[in-house]
Amino acid sequence: DAGVTQSPTHLIKTRGQHVTLRCSPISGHKSVSWYQQVLGQGPQFIFQYYEKEERGRGNFPDRFSARQFPNYSSELNVNALLLGDSALYLCASSWDYHMDTQYFGPGTRLTVL
Amino acid sequence: TQLLEQSPQFLSIQEGENLTVYCNSSSVFSSLQWYRQEPGEGPVLLVTVVTGGEVKKLKRLTFQFGDARKDSSLHITAAQPGDTGLYLCAGGGNQGGKLIFGQGTELSVKP
């Protein structure tokens, strides 16, 4: 079975632009979570979605938004990009929203110039 | 605010040596996960521990969850260059599917 997939792999944007990152969970997994990992740090929780509803939100500004589709795939949107948004964006999936064991995708490397 | 502190942050050892990485918190977690991450890739799950005092072994890796479920350790026996990477601990269960990560331990094993 395929693992968590994310697209694109790499992305370069300039300040003020917006970006959309995509994630497909492991088949059968209904929960998708998004994390931001800045170089040299552990991942920071951004959002969790389950059955198309937001189940959790981390300490990120309203420029960050997400949604989940009927097939359980998900998009993360970031508006008005700042230099500090440069990071590895990770998507993780699990069977249910309260499941601690999460499986991560390869990530999308976002560089903001 | 829940925090997980990992130590050491950096570790450089010779092939064949043993090492232990620690993950500590003042908060209780219902579970603790350990991940290994290569540069530019996503974290790969190594183990999940859920019971206080639980010990799990994965080949040369031994994971332990503290009795009070506030701390965990990862012990590697006879380290090999292939063990090189970033080791992350993550606590879960307290806020739905949100995982709290430590800052990671960068391990380098030299041949």
Side-chain angles (χ1 to χ4, degrees):
Chain A
D1 284 342
V4 177
T5 59
Q6 292 186 243
S7 64
T9 305
H10 296 88
L11 206 51
I12 299 175
K13 293 285 188 178
T14 56
R15 283 177 295 176
Q17 288 188 310
H18 70 272
V19 68
T20 298
L21 311 180
R22 295 177 176 82
C23 170
S24 291
I26 292 172
S27 178
H29 285 193
K30 298 181 179 181
S31 176
V32 169
S33 296
W34 288 94
Y35 293 81
Q36 180 196 64
Q37 186 177 24
V38 175
L39 199 62
Q41 297 182 18
Q44 297 289 317
F45 174 78
I46 309 176
F47 285 110
Q48 183 193 24
Y49 275 77
Y50 175 74
E51 292 286 8
K52 296 179 291 181
E53 289 189 7
E54 182 182 305
R55 291 297 186 126
R57 185 185 185 109
N59 189 24
F60 280 81
D62 292 342
R63 299 185 295 107
F64 289 77
S65 64
R67 56 178 176 168
Q68 186 178 33
F69 300 99
N71 66 352
Y72 303 111
S73 67
S74 177
E75 284 182 354
L76 175 70
N77 294 283
V78 187
N79 293 324
L81 285 167
L82 303 174
L83 296 179
D85 295 331
S86 295
L88 181 67
Y89 288 85
L90 296 163
C91 173
S93 76
S94 58
W95 290 104
D96 202 344
Y97 76 94
H98 60 79
M99 295 295 289
D100 299 337
T101 298
Q102 298 180 17
Y103 298 89
F104 284 82
T108 294
R109 171 67 64 185
L110 172 65
T111 301
V112 182
L113 302 176
Chain B
T1 303
Q2 293 178 301
L3 290 173
L4 271 173
E5 294 188 5
Q6 279 187 244
S7 62
Q9 279 191 271
F10 301 95
L11 197 53
S12 181
I13 61 173
Q14 293 296 129
E15 182 176 1
E17 292 184 14
N18 301 331
L19 67 114
T20 302
V21 177
Y22 299 94
C23 180
N24 296 293
S25 176
S26 58
S27 302
V28 175
F29 290 97
S30 65
S31 70
L32 210 295
Q33 287 78 44
W34 284 92
Y35 292 86
R36 179 169 167 268
Q37 186 177 23
E38 301 267 8
E41 300 182 8
V44 175
L45 180 68
L46 297 174
V47 77
T48 298
V49 286
V50 298
T51 305
E54 182 177 4
V55 176
K56 281 191 174 180
K57 292 190 175 183
L58 184 65
K59 296 183 181 178
R60 295 176 293 100
L61 278 61
T62 302
F63 305 86
Q64 185 163 7
F65 202 10
D67 291 340
R69 290 185 288 129
K70 292 182 179 181
D71 56 88
S72 181
S73 64
L74 159 60
H75 182 79
I76 300 179
T77 303
Q80 298 177 0
D83 295 328
T84 293
L86 179 69
Y87 289 82
L88 294 159
C89 65
N94 297 352
Q95 297 181 47
K98 174 182 178 180
L99 291 179
I100 305 294
F101 279 87
Q103 73 269 45
T105 294
E106 189 70 54
L107 172 65
S108 174
V109 182
K110 301 185 188 307

